[in-house]
Amino acid sequence: MATRTKKKVEETEAAEEKAPAKKAAAKKKPAAKKKTAARKKTAARRRTKKGDEDELPSVEADAEEEATPRGKGPHYLVVVESPAKAKTIKKYLGSGYTVKASVGHVKDLPKSKMGVDVEHDFRPEYTVIKGKEKVLNELKKMAKSADRVFLATDPDREGEAIAWHIKEELAHPDALRVTFNEITKKAIQEAIAQPRQLNQDNYDSQQTRRILDRLVGYQISPLLWKKVRRGLSAGRVQSVAVRLIVEREDEIKAFVPVEYWTLDALLEGPSGPPPFKAKLSKLDGKKVELKERVFTESLVAELQTANFVVAKVDRRERRRNAPAPFITSKLQQEAANRLSFTAKKTMTLSQRLYEGVPLGDEGQTALITYMRTDSTRLSDDAVTQVREFIGGKYGKDFLPDEPMVYRSKKSAQDAHEAIRPTSLEYPPERVKPFFEAMGEEDMYRLYELIWNRFVACQMKPAVYDQTSADIAAGRATFRASGSTLKFAGYLAVYGAGLTPEEEAEKEKAKAAGDDNAAEGADAVGELPVLNDGDALNLQKLLHEQHFTQPPPRFSEATLVKELEERGIGRPSTYAAILSTIQDKKYVEKLEGRFRPTDLGNMTNEMLVKHFPHELDVTFTASMEEKLDQISEGGANWKAVLRDFYGPFKETLEKAEAEMRDVKREEIKTDIPCEKCGNLFVIKFGKMGHFLACSNYPDCKNTKDFKRDAEGKIVMVEEETTDEICEKCGKPMVIKRGRFGRFLACSGYPDCKTSKPISIGVSCPECKEGYLTERRSGRGKIFFGCNRYPDCKFAAWDRPLAEPCPTCASPYLLQKFSKRDGPYVACPNKECDYRREITEQPGGPGGSPEASSAA
């Protein structure tokens, strides 16, 4: 009601601001200000007549708030974290309020030292973050003229810590905490009306986490700098994440494939074609496993003459329940699976959706609730709204008799609601034009995913008609399954793809030997009409050899799932963990899957050996439980730190003395240097392990190497080229550096000529240089001009040396999408030229286009 009233007022005000009024305003600015004030007073009176006496007057989202109170009456300062959030909140508060952003944390432990006094009960030494002095001074200035300060930082433990530090710096006598799960008019005004004191337990919990991370990171990291390489880092959670990736890789390497066979019968029912498949399930009444070719082929020969008869037909309904609304980890997993987003991208976009995006005349509007949560709880108002929406759009058949309630995990803090749209007034189709105008298609896709999940969670289950038939053939029993969708239910909104939860259930069913449950998720299509005793016609027996597969490497989605299930970290930390372990080069992502680097393997081996307790998965999870207990008032934060630090200090001192010194380590080999005859030794450098002549520095010969299946060292020969060094005339070879491949003179170190490798495309920007393949600091390949930094052209997709046939752009781009695969497109956003990539004869290497697509 309040929203509609406000809209009418705005329409009335807009009607009054016609062209004559604008001309008058241009000539007489003071008069225009008086008219504006009069219109606001009129609007306030209109709202009062409508019965909105208890609501705070709304205020326009001005570019900047004045430092002094407007008009008479009390004045309040509201402090939030981000400018976007401040801009959204301004819409819902009256002229007596100033809303300002702290732009995140204002105080933290110093970067230059640990900042924790372990001798005096872990007393932290907080300092104002460099660059935040100006923000704090502005806040202090405004706080002096404010009757009350509302600390409205994010509603989690980190937000509580930020609020605590702001209160300390402002030193205002009346500073109170307000929290809200969504940035809507109702939520903001209810929060302002019910402020509270800061929560000491939440602050202590967050402070303990921060101190723990410092105790571990700022004492183990320097040890790694000393023993391995400067710039490395260790963390209470990040190092455990690396350990999971390393151990999965070890499982894959140690995996021994086991042969097995499957046997299917292609059968035709009494009604004739089309034929259908049935899978061998039992032999002599027992579950069968075909392990050998000889046995399988003898069974095939035996069954060729058998009579295939329907022994039993089972027809039943199978229900597929709607998934729970999103919590942070599930949002990250589904965004990775369905949208191919990284966890970092998902959290960045969802943060903006929470803080607010511009929606035309409605201004800055928050579209989702707080996105850091581990609770599936929904407010009564939200459930009522979505049930009305479902009934109106999809009909009563899609609406359960009672609202759906989902259980949160035992470890869930349950401080906030699940992630959902703030209002059903903003369906995806309504806001899509605004996202398109901003060029934020990915943000729209994420919002649509959150919207659909929320609506789906309050809809009826999907219903399938499932038919299973046991077919007797001699001493063998085959099983055929098929299903058809009888009632779409929530699938009408959310689509038929399996969610991570359903995938997990399916895997559990297979592991437990429950074939019926496992087949239920896979059964697709209809079976012909079958009845007990029907004779079937055997078309063909299909036997096929397989080998068991090793466990898959972690993707972002599956690693987040693993961390969540093991209780490592918290939803808000997953994106940062995944970014850090890649930034530090402990792992790399190839084809969407994490693999440990040489550095990651070695660092993990050393940390696990010398810090087995701290890097134990169960220890990390138990520490999260202790942090929860502190937040709930059930544990003393100093006692938790004392229990941890005593054993940790002893372990640290022991590691300092015993950890291998990789920097100075030289592992002898029996391989002679071809330049001077001395033996090579294995050293470790920025690019990992390499062979170096033991006669260094007199001989600076180095070689790359790898190990074969038996662990024997195999030289990696340098790639030769036809290009000649312009300085000494020797042939150029291809080498690898920290930023990717490059050309270097084979006469190194006598000749140190090097240059980037051209991809055969002239720079479209400077017209002088050529494009080369490079590698970013995080290891991602991109393409840039060889004249950098004079020319800063760069592209993530590989440019092709051919003009666009539509708009004459001097080059095209090779792109790849998860849905469509590789394709070629024009870099000009206004041009819609696009063509699919077809593999050339001879396989992926048949052409540059096919090769790059592969």
Side-chain angles (χ1 to χ4, degrees):
M1 182 65 187
T3 304
R4 289 195 292 271
T5 304
K6 181 180 175 183
K7 196 170 183 180
K8 287 179 182 178
V9 172
E10 290 172 347
E11 289 172 355
T12 304
E13 292 175 2
E16 292 172 2
E17 294 177 348
K18 296 296 182 181
K22 288 182 180 178
K23 291 179 181 178
K27 293 179 180 179
K28 298 181 180 181
K29 289 184 179 179
K33 285 184 179 179
K34 289 180 181 179
K35 286 182 180 180
T36 302
R39 281 198 299 274
K40 288 183 178 179
K41 288 179 181 179
T42 304
R45 283 197 297 272
R46 285 173 185 153
R47 281 191 287 273
T48 302
K49 289 178 183 178
K50 291 286 184 182
D52 293 338
E53 296 90 349
D54 296 332
E55 293 186 1
L56 294 166
S58 63
V59 64
E60 293 178 5
D62 297 328
E64 286 293 335
E65 290 282 3
E66 297 176 13
T68 55
R70 299 175 180 174
K72 297 178 181 180
H75 182 67
Y76 306 108
L77 172 64
V78 181
V79 184
V80 297
E81 285 173 271
S82 79
K85 189 175 174 183
K87 191 175 179 182
T88 307
I89 291 175
K90 284 179 185 179
K91 297 200 309 177
Y92 307 126
L93 296 177
S95 57
Y97 291 84
T98 297
V99 186
K100 277 292 177 182
S102 68
V103 197
H105 287 272
V106 294
K107 294 172 71 174
D108 196 6
L109 300 173
K111 281 190 174 182
S112 58
K113 56 182 179 179
M114 188 163 67
V116 179
D117 188 348
V118 295
E119 302 298 328
H120 294 85
D121 251 350
F122 306 98
R123 186 171 61 205
E125 179 191 325
Y126 291 108
T127 59
V128 174
I129 297 170
K130 188 177 180 181
K132 287 297 179 73
E133 295 87 353
K134 184 179 178 181
V135 173
L136 268 177
N137 288 336
E138 281 186 29
L139 292 175
K140 288 176 181 178
K141 184 179 178 182
M142 292 183 175
K144 286 180 182 178
S145 60
D147 297 284
R148 174 175 285 181
V149 175
F150 292 106
L151 303 169
T153 48
D154 285 347
D156 55 16
R157 296 173 192 170
E158 190 169 8
E160 200 76 20
I162 294 173
W164 199 281
H165 291 152
I166 292 172
K167 181 181 179 181
E168 286 178 342
E169 288 298 310
L170 299 188
H172 195 281
D174 191 8
L176 296 173
R177 180 83 163 107
V178 294
T179 57
F180 36 82
N181 189 53
E182 59 187 54
I183 306 176
T184 59
K185 184 174 185 179
K186 180 182 178 182
I188 297 299
Q189 293 183 350
E190 284 181 354
I192 293 290
Q194 299 175 353
R196 62 167 172 81
Q197 296 296 325
L198 271 75
N199 188 307
Q200 178 77 51
D201 293 331
N202 278 344
Y203 174 68
D204 286 345
S205 176
Q206 179 62 26
Q207 179 169 251
T208 307
R209 177 187 291 279
R210 194 78 188 93
I211 292 173
L212 274 170
D213 290 341
R214 274 298 170 103
L215 293 176
V216 174
Y218 270 56
Q219 295 189 84
I220 297 183
S221 296
L223 189 58
L224 292 178
W225 296 359
K226 181 180 178 182
K227 303 286 188 177
V228 184
R229 190 172 84 199
R230 190 168 183 83
L232 299 182
S233 71
R236 186 177 54 86
V237 179
Q238 76 171 49
S239 297
V240 175
V242 173
R243 179 177 185 173
L244 292 176
I245 295 169
V246 170
E247 289 179 347
R248 176 60 58 88
E249 194 70 20
D250 291 341
E251 286 181 61
I252 293 170
K253 289 178 181 177
F255 182 81
V256 179
V258 176
E259 179 186 10
Y260 72 98
W261 290 73
T262 55
L263 177 57
D264 296 334
L266 191 62
L267 303 166
E268 197 173 276
S271 57
F276 63 95
K277 274 187 180 181
K279 181 181 179 181
L280 178 67
S281 61
K282 293 180 181 179
L283 196 64
D284 296 323
K286 297 179 181 179
K287 188 175 178 180
V288 62
E289 291 183 6
L290 303 177
K291 296 182 178 181
E292 299 173 354
R293 176 189 293 271
V294 174
F295 179 80
T296 304
E297 289 180 346
S298 66
L299 182 60
V300 169
E302 176 186 333
L303 296 176
Q304 291 285 2
T305 57
N307 294 322
F308 285 75
V309 180
V310 177
K312 180 185 176 183
V313 177
D314 179 24
R315 295 183 179 89
R316 59 189 175 91
E317 280 189 351
R318 178 170 65 89
R319 293 178 177 268
R320 187 174 166 190
N321 294 320
F326 278 133
I327 58 175
T328 303
S329 57
K330 292 297 185 287
L331 175 62
Q332 291 173 354
Q333 291 171 49
E334 281 288 75
N337 290 333
R338 296 191 177 216
L339 308 178
S340 299
F341 289 178
T342 62
K344 183 177 181 180
K345 181 175 183 177
T346 298
M347 295 309 293
T348 300
L349 294 179
S350 59
Q351 178 86 35
R352 293 173 63 188
L353 289 170
Y354 165 69
E355 292 175 347
V357 294
L359 297 183
D361 294 338
E362 296 187 49
Q364 196 86 356
T365 305
L367 292 177
I368 67 168
T369 54
Y370 193 54
M371 67 290 160
R372 292 187 181 92
T373 177
D374 52 10
S375 171
T376 56
R377 177 172 52 82
L378 295 170
S379 71
D380 293 339
D381 286 347
V383 172
T384 300
Q385 285 182 31
V386 75
R387 283 176 62 83
E388 289 176 359
F389 174 82
I390 294 167
K393 183 168 183 178
Y394 297 97
K396 292 183 179 180
D397 290 343
F398 287 80
L399 196 63
D401 294 335
E402 296 293 331
M404 301 296 294
V405 178
Y406 297 90
R407 290 183 180 179
S408 297
K409 290 192 341 179
K410 287 183 179 179
S411 60
Q413 295 175 32
D414 205 40
H416 324 297
E417 284 187 65
I419 305 169
R420 61 167 175 82
T422 55
S423 171
L424 274 295
E425 293 181 13
Y426 302 108
E429 59 270 17
R430 180 184 170 190
V431 299
K432 187 176 183 180
F434 299 105
F435 284 103
E436 289 178 341
M438 293 186 290
E440 294 286 0
E441 288 80 3
D442 284 346
M443 199 191 304
Y444 167 76
R445 293 169 67 202
L446 185 65
Y447 177 64
E448 184 181 41
L449 182 67
I450 293 168
W451 173 281
N452 290 344
R453 178 85 164 212
F454 172 58
V455 174
C457 82
Q458 291 300 316
M459 295 176 74
K460 282 186 175 179
V463 181
Y464 291 85
D465 276 334
Q466 183 166 320
T467 303
S468 299
D470 287 338
I471 299 162
R475 62 193 184 102
T477 302
F478 288 78
R479 189 173 183 83
S481 298
S483 66
T484 55
L485 185 62
K486 181 180 179 181
F487 174 67
Y490 81 93
L491 295 180
V493 177
Y494 200 61
L498 292 181
T499 64
E501 301 95 312
E502 290 172 325
E503 290 280 7
E505 288 299 321
K506 177 181 165 185
E507 291 303 318
K508 285 179 183 177
K510 283 185 177 179
D514 187 349
D515 292 333
N516 291 340
E519 286 175 10
D522 294 328
V524 179
E526 287 187 87
L527 289 179
V529 177
L530 299 174
N531 295 297
D532 293 2
D534 282 348
L536 305 175
N537 182 26
L538 175 64
Q539 300 286 307
K540 192 175 184 181
L541 285 171
L542 308 168
H543 60 293
E544 191 173 355
Q545 184 186 40
H546 305 274
F547 290 91
T548 54
Q549 296 297 310
R553 294 182 175 92
F554 288 113
S555 65
E556 287 221 357
T558 55
L559 183 57
V560 167
K561 185 172 181 289
E562 187 80 7
L563 293 171
E564 179 192 24
E565 289 181 347
R566 290 178 177 245
I568 301 168
R570 276 288 172 255
S572 59
T573 65
Y574 295 150
I577 292 169
L578 269 55
S579 294
T580 301
I581 62 178
Q582 292 176 80
D583 292 342
K584 296 299 180 182
K585 302 291 190 290
Y586 293 135
V587 302
E588 58 185 350
K589 194 159 55 169
L590 300 174
E591 300 176 349
R593 300 279 173 169
F594 287 118
R595 298 171 188 246
T597 60
D598 194 14
L599 175 64
N601 277 314
M602 184 177 63
T603 307
N604 177 73
E605 178 188 344
M606 294 167 69
L607 291 178
V608 170
K609 179 179 179 180
H610 295 284
F611 298 93
H613 182 60
E614 289 76 10
L615 261 73
D616 184 76
V617 173
T618 55
F619 167 76
T620 307
S622 67
M623 188 56 73
E624 292 295 341
E625 292 177 4
K626 289 179 181 178
L627 293 173
D628 291 344
Q629 290 170 10
I630 295 170
S631 179
E632 295 160 4
N636 178 274
W637 70 278
K638 292 181 180 179
V640 169
L641 288 171
R642 282 195 293 268
D643 291 344
F644 164 78
Y645 192 68
F648 174 71
K649 186 178 180 182
E650 292 179 8
T651 304
L652 189 68
E653 291 171 352
K654 190 176 180 182
E656 176 83 34
E658 298 179 0
M659 186 179 283
R660 60 188 269 214
D661 194 338
V662 177
K663 271 187 175 180
R664 295 172 177 79
E665 187 177 70
E666 294 183 355
I667 302 173
K668 294 181 180 180
T669 74
D670 56 359
I671 303 171
C673 170
E674 75 278 11
K675 291 188 176 181
C676 71
N678 287 284
L679 295 179
F680 276 120
V681 293
I682 298 174
K683 289 188 174 184
F684 186 81
K686 291 181 178 179
M687 300 300 296
H689 285 101
F690 65 98
L691 291 174
C693 182
S694 57
N695 195 28
Y696 178 87
D698 294 332
C699 179
K700 297 179 180 179
N701 189 21
T702 61
K703 295 284 184 181
D704 287 333
F705 74 94
K706 60 183 180 180
R707 294 186 183 274
D708 59 18
E710 298 175 356
K712 188 178 179 181
I713 293 174
V714 178
M715 291 272 200
V716 177
E717 296 299 327
E718 293 176 336
E719 294 181 61
T720 58
T721 69
D722 296 330
E723 194 154 347
I724 301 300
C725 175
E726 56 198 31
K727 290 187 177 179
C728 70
K730 290 184 178 180
M732 303 286 277
V733 295
I734 295 176
K735 289 183 175 285
R736 290 183 179 273
R738 59 182 300 191
F739 296 115
R741 305 195 313 161
F742 64 96
L743 286 172
C745 181
S746 57
Y748 180 86
D750 297 328
C751 179
K752 298 179 180 178
T753 303
S754 65
K755 61 182 180 179
I757 300 174
S758 172
I759 63 169
V761 181
S762 298
C763 178
E765 192 166 298
C766 70
K767 307 291 192 301
E768 296 180 32
Y770 56 84
L771 299 186
T772 67
E773 181 182 303
R774 301 180 66 191
R775 192 178 295 271
S776 70
R778 289 190 59 184
K780 187 175 180 181
I781 289 175
F782 71 99
F783 304 90
C785 182
N786 73 307
R787 295 182 63 247
Y788 178 86
D790 295 329
C791 177
K792 296 183 179 180
F793 174 86
W796 289 116
D797 301 301
R798 177 181 283 271
L800 297 176
E802 58 177 292
C804 174
T806 303
C807 72
S809 166
Y811 69 102
L812 294 173
L813 291 176
Q814 250 177 226
K815 290 178 168 282
F816 179 85
S817 76
K818 194 172 182 180
R819 184 183 64 186
D820 303 325
Y823 64 95
V824 173
C826 181
N828 183 0
K829 290 184 178 180
E830 297 176 359
C831 178
D832 58 359
Y833 176 77
R834 171 176 170 146
R835 73 167 185 265
E836 302 304 315
I837 291 179
T838 54
E839 191 171 297
Q840 299 297 316
S847 74
E849 186 170 303
S851 177
S852 58

